[in-house]
Amino acid sequence: MKTRLLIALAAMTFATCAMGATPVTLKLQKGTTTVPHTTPVGGAPLTSLEQDPAMAAGDADSGDGEDDLGGEPVVNRTLHHGHHGGLNSMGHATRAKSHPELKDGFEGLNFHDQRYANGGNQFSVEPPDQGLCVGNGFIVESVNDVLAIYDRAGNELVGPVDLNTFYGYPAAINRTTGAYGPSITDPSCYYDADTRRWFHIVLTLDRAGTSSALSGTNHLDIAVSQTADPTGAWTIYQLPVQNNGSDGTPDHGCTAGFCLGDYPHIGADANAIFLTTNEFALFGPGFYGAQIYAISKRALVAGDASPNVVLFNAGDPSVRAPAFTVWPAISSGGQYAGAHGGTEYLLSSDAVFYDEGTSNTIWLWSVSHTSAIDSAPMSLTLDVSAVGVQTYAVPTSLAQQKPGDAPLRDCFALTGCAPTYLGYPNIVYSTPRALAVNDSRMQQVSFANGKLWGTLDTDVLLGDGSHGSGVAWFVIDPKSGGVFANGTLALPDANLTYGTSAVTQSGRGVIAFTVVGPNDWPSAGYASFDAKHGAGDVHIAAAGAAPWDGFTGIPYLGDNRPRWGDYGAAAAEGNTIWTASEYIAHACTLAQYLTPPLFQCGGTRGALSNWSTRISRLQL
């Protein structure tokens, strides 16, 4: 899940260096063992209930929500980020004429996999988000709400596996009985080269029985592989994150009694696995700051019954720094920061906190003394400091697309088509529909070659003077807070969005993103990335085949934002970088869309969307 945020801080100042809040110790709850098995693909092409009523992210102006495909959303995540007049300059990049670094790639999970996994006992989910991790000859890809495991050649070994089944829960929706299983979202994955174990996390919202209503409790499910082979057994742990005093959690006083551990992400140092969340009220308005959880890596790998957990509430007033999407760093080669008894670094941005939506600061966080997490967990400490960078801004506009066949849109526009096949009135859209770019939250962070590497989306001015999206990138010295390199990657005629990066231990990396614009269908792109030369030219790893054609942004379907993603993913393995980007892999005409089996275009899409993912291998 992803929120849109506005917190006015005009009267607040932040310390250059501030000590964090007092840690709180928790205990994990060990659950069952799971083994990933492919679930059958099938089910009705369209049903009367396509969206999870609790997760359909509606806004105040998104319609009345009283439709058959989804209901009025229960989870309140509709805060809005700042607005601004745009930046004055465009980042520098050109389109590369060749892509010599690209070795190969393959189509990963797509909307058809997601919707029709587990016999079709799934909801339609958009956007997919992206979890990718790589190691020991395997690739694990996870999106909302399915998982697949591949070998290095792209052969699918297991999948699609719906995440409800993987975590041992009933189906998201049992279309025979009408019973609901827990609502799962926001998968992330990490392969730890040091321990040769896989870690996979999701946010799980519990139901009130088997009804669609949420009970209020929510937790992070943490799956830890028992060997270096992800196709084998995994141990499941649960970390309650409702933070209202129940289940051993602290009470953060969230509106209506329950907090929400939104947008979880994963990182690690030598001693601990780090999970971070954005804490919102679950049933009412309010943002309560990012949460940072440190969990004993040794205990997770050993399968201990109750590994130690240390929680830092970065939203505590004592922190005196804006804490939103505080992303923990990962290390690809088992090289970690050993200073101060073991240290994990994290990065965050703050433009979303300001009315003008711009900033020239990112925030460097560190959790030290991690080697004591088993013996003296209260000795872990949190520090944060401001890092001055080039100005970045929350992107202000939607991304236009190259025209092309978009059968869901065309069915809505064609007299009689939508009422007959979809059960909705006709709507005529401009051609083509635009899609949403990211805000300026921090994306994936790497610790490599003694440096911190990160990216975020930023507003840029395109060549025609209009606003667009580019990728701001940073290379930070975590010891001093100095900036080794910093810049903006952008094209004059297209948006680059959902930029994420991975970096080898020698300090060579790749930024991956989606390229979309008036001359581009959504395509999987990348650029080289290092501390000396910054970001290189834009390459296309896989060109889009058609426009995005999804249900978000359509009235009656519960969300007025035409959603494209929440985050991308990339992973370093030796001198190889693997990227996973959202793109459109297949074209489909309206005639093909209405050919039985309806809406599936030969198994390439579903009734309500056509997103796909591209996994690419780049040799450095």
Side-chain angles (χ1 to χ4, degrees):
M1 292 183 292
K2 185 175 73 174
T3 62
R4 289 180 290 172
L5 184 68
L6 168 59
I7 301 179
L9 298 176
M12 185 179 295
T13 59
F14 301 115
T16 300
C17 184
M19 184 63 70
T22 302
V24 173
T25 58
L26 309 170
K27 292 290 187 180
L28 277 188
Q29 302 170 2
K30 185 177 181 180
T32 60
T33 297
T34 187
V35 177
H37 292 296
T38 302
T39 57
V41 174
L46 186 69
T47 71
S48 62
L49 183 64
E50 284 293 322
Q51 292 183 79
D52 183 342
M55 303 298 292
D59 293 323
D61 57 352
S62 64
D64 62 14
E66 300 301 323
D67 56 80
D68 292 332
L69 294 187
E72 187 69 23
V74 174
V75 179
N76 188 316
R77 307 188 312 276
T78 55
L79 303 177
H80 295 270
H81 58 60
H83 298 282
H84 63 94
L87 297 183
N88 295 322
S89 62
M90 182 187 71
H92 299 288
T94 60
R95 291 178 187 260
K97 294 182 173 60
S98 61
H99 24 92
E101 301 96 339
L102 181 65
K103 293 299 182 180
D104 49 40
F106 57 93
E107 183 182 0
L109 292 163
N110 62 28
F111 182 81
H112 189 274
D113 295 326
Q114 184 276 313
R115 173 58 183 83
Y116 300 115
N118 196 17
N121 291 301
Q122 294 266 93
F123 293 107
S124 288
V125 177
E126 190 174 67
D129 301 337
Q130 180 57 247
L132 177 80
C133 48
V134 180
N136 193 37
F138 297 95
I139 302 161
V140 176
E141 183 191 22
S142 185
V143 301
N144 282 330
D145 275 322
V146 287
L147 175 149
I149 302 172
Y150 310 91
D151 63 20
R152 289 174 57 93
N155 298 306
E156 191 172 66
L157 305 177
V158 180
V161 184
D162 68 286
L163 294 182
N164 279 65
T165 296
F166 177 71
Y167 280 100
Y169 295 120
I173 176 69
N174 185 316
R175 298 198 178 277
T176 300
T177 66
Y180 287 75
S183 186
I184 292 179
T185 188
D186 287 355
S188 286
C189 185
Y190 167 63
Y191 175 74
D192 187 69
D194 185 32
T195 61
R196 291 172 56 81
R197 293 296 184 270
W198 303 79
F199 297 85
H200 188 279
I201 64 167
V202 294
L203 169 63
T204 301
L205 289 79
D206 299 319
R207 304 283 189 184
T210 60
S211 74
S212 64
L214 298 178
S215 68
T217 57
N218 59 106
H219 59 273
L220 301 184
D221 275 310
I222 306 163
V224 184
S225 71
Q226 295 180 5
T227 70
D229 183 352
T231 67
W234 300 59
T235 302
I236 307 297
Y237 289 91
Q238 292 185 351
L239 176 65
V241 292
Q242 63 265 19
N243 290 340
N244 66 346
S246 65
D247 295 331
T249 65
D251 189 350
H252 290 173
C254 290
T255 302
F258 291 92
C259 301
L260 172 70
D262 193 33
Y263 206 68
H265 287 289
I266 188 169
D269 79 338
N271 308 297
I273 294 296
F274 284 81
L275 307 180
T276 62
T277 65
N278 287 330
E279 187 162 273
F280 290 85
L282 177 57
F283 295 129
F287 174 64
Y288 295 83
Q291 307 297 304
I292 302 172
Y293 298 88
I295 308 172
S296 169
K297 185 194 292 187
R298 179 209 60 78
L300 287 173
V301 171
D304 287 4
S306 55
N308 281 350
V309 182
V310 176
L311 166 61
F312 292 96
N313 176 9
D316 189 285
S318 67
V319 174
R320 300 186 66 233
F324 174 63
T325 309
V326 179
W327 202 300
I330 59 174
S331 172
S332 61
Q335 297 181 15
Y336 306 105
H340 308 294
T343 299
E344 168 70 355
Y345 295 109
L346 312 90
L347 292 176
S348 67
S349 63
D350 64 4
V352 295
F353 284 85
Y354 298 100
D355 288 339
E356 65 273 20
T358 63
S359 179
N360 58 7
T361 301
I362 61 173
W363 293 85
L364 170 61
W365 306 74
S366 62
V367 178
S368 300
H369 308 293
T370 62
S371 61
I373 193 164
D374 286 313
S375 58
M378 288 295 288
S379 66
L380 271 67
T381 59
L382 174 69
D383 289 278
V384 59
S385 59
V387 177
V389 296
Q390 296 177 11
T391 301
Y392 60 94
V394 179
T396 56
S397 59
L398 299 175
Q400 300 301 313
Q401 302 186 81
K402 178 181 175 180
D405 287 315
L408 176 62
R409 176 207 65 199
D410 294 343
C411 187
F412 267 104
L414 182 64
T415 301
C417 186
T420 299
Y421 293 100
L422 303 176
Y424 285 97
N426 288 114
I427 307 172
V428 178
Y429 292 96
S430 60
T431 303
R433 294 172 63 209
L435 57 83
V437 298
N438 200 5
D439 59 24
S440 63
R441 69 187 64 204
M442 188 63 65
Q443 296 291 283
Q444 187 170 305
V445 176
S446 298
F447 178 73
N449 198 28
K451 304 175 180 66
L452 280 177
W453 312 69
T455 59
L456 55 82
D457 280 19
T458 182
D459 190 271
V460 296
L461 291 179
L462 302 180
D464 61 2
S466 65
H467 290 275
S469 176
V471 179
W473 49 266
F474 314 93
V475 186
I476 307 297
D477 181 350
K479 295 180 179 178
S480 69
V483 179
F484 285 110
N486 173 206
T488 300
L489 180 68
L491 288 175
D493 60 347
N495 295 272
L496 309 180
T497 190
Y498 296 98
T500 190
S501 64
V503 184
T504 69
Q505 285 304 314
S506 64
R508 301 180 65 194
V510 167
I511 302 174
F513 39 79
T514 295
V515 180
V516 58
N519 303 308
D520 295 274
W521 293 315
S523 303
Y526 68 95
S528 61
F529 185 30
D530 64 51
K532 182 177 181 180
H533 301 101
D537 291 339
V538 172
H539 302 268
I540 300 297
W548 163 76
D549 186 40
F551 67 90
T552 54
I554 295 177
Y556 321 116
L557 301 185
D559 190 337
N560 76 338
R561 288 178 293 158
R563 299 292 299 279
W564 178 245
D566 284 350
Y567 48 91
E573 181 191 33
N575 292 323
T576 299
I577 300 288
W578 295 85
T579 66
S581 301
E582 189 176 351
Y583 82 128
I584 301 302
H586 304 279
C588 179
T589 67
L590 179 59
Q592 292 169 327
Y593 180 75
L594 298 179
T595 299
L598 287 172
F599 315 130
Q600 297 180 54
C601 298
T604 63
R605 63 166 295 157
L608 299 184
S609 194
N610 65 335
W611 58 256
S612 187
T613 61
R614 179 73 178 187
I615 298 175
S616 302
R617 180 172 70 96
L618 299 110
Q619 195 70 35
L620 299 177

